[in-house]
Amino acid sequence: DEEIIAAETAFDNAVGMLSLAEPLKAPSADALFGEGGTWETQYANQSYPNMFDGDINTYSNYDNKHASGGYGGIDFGAGNEKVITSIRYYYDDPWDWNRTYGRFEGSNDKENWTTLAEYAANVYPTETWNEIPISDTTAYRYVRVYSTKGYGNLCEVEFYGKGTDYVMLNDI
């Protein structure tokens, strides 16, 4: 019925707009994961959790020198999968030659990854927020940033979206 479809669409849009107020958060510090590059060596203060700490003055410095590439991500937990509707990131390269390229990915098993969006430092401006809308409607348990070329130097990454468990809202 057209009325039911319209109501479901309006509800989904309202929930989506409400979720834009706050980025999706990791359930705990243990829910953050990553590997690669300087995250594990001499620059521990430039580790992957910096991408998710809410502070644009800290940054992660990772690279793709590992066979699997450098990455950092969030595990939302079993039964708490999220549909990602947009991704915002703040890129700051204090060393202009440290260009970074990569992709944002989602997975439900942490082995098979789906590309949600790609980014390239020479395409998006530095020292500002960049936003990428996501059209994939799959709910994912895991999301990550994956380096495909260069160094990370991402100050902050925010995933926006909605869960798979809808709560009824009395007044929208």
Side-chain angles (χ1 to χ4, degrees):
D1 181 57
E2 289 182 19
E3 286 183 41
I4 293 174
I5 292 171
E8 288 174 343
T9 301
F11 179 77
D12 285 347
N13 290 340
V15 171
M17 286 187 288
L18 290 173
S19 70
L20 289 177
E22 291 288 326
L24 300 170
K25 301 287 186 189
S28 69
D30 293 338
L32 299 176
F33 62 91
E35 76 170 42
T38 55
W39 288 346
E40 300 165 351
T41 58
Q42 74 268 28
Y43 299 109
N45 64 327
Q46 298 172 8
S47 183
Y48 65 88
N50 289 353
M51 284 192 292
F52 310 108
D53 68 359
D55 184 354
I56 62 169
N57 296 306
T58 62
Y59 66 93
S60 64
N61 187 0
Y62 64 95
D63 59 44
N64 67 341
K65 293 180 181 176
H66 284 60
S68 63
Y71 62 88
I74 299 172
D75 175 358
F76 294 119
N80 199 27
E81 294 81 5
K82 306 292 183 188
V83 175
I84 305 302
T85 56
S86 67
I87 300 167
R88 281 183 8 130
Y89 70 96
Y90 194 98
Y91 173 76
D92 181 16
D93 187 355
W95 306 280
D96 194 44
W97 53 269
N98 252 0
R99 293 299 183 188
T100 185
Y101 303 86
R103 57 185 178 252
F104 300 101
E105 299 177 321
S107 175
N108 282 311
D109 61 11
K110 214 173 176 183
E111 292 182 24
N112 300 294
W113 294 90
T114 299
T115 298
L116 302 174
E118 294 183 341
Y119 66 93
N122 62 343
V123 175
Y124 297 100
T126 63
E127 299 181 18
T128 188
W129 284 101
N130 297 281
E131 184 169 356
I132 303 172
I134 305 300
S135 60
D136 186 337
T137 58
T138 305
Y140 293 104
R141 175 178 173 174
Y142 306 96
V143 291
R144 72 177 181 179
V145 181
Y146 181 89
S147 173
T148 57
K149 177 182 177 187
Y151 295 86
N153 294 346
L154 290 175
C155 299
E156 209 56 37
V157 174
E158 297 177 340
F159 293 94
Y160 290 82
K162 55 190 174 190
T164 56
D165 55 335
Y166 294 96
V167 176
M168 293 305 292
L169 303 174
N170 291 329
D171 299 308
I172 298 180

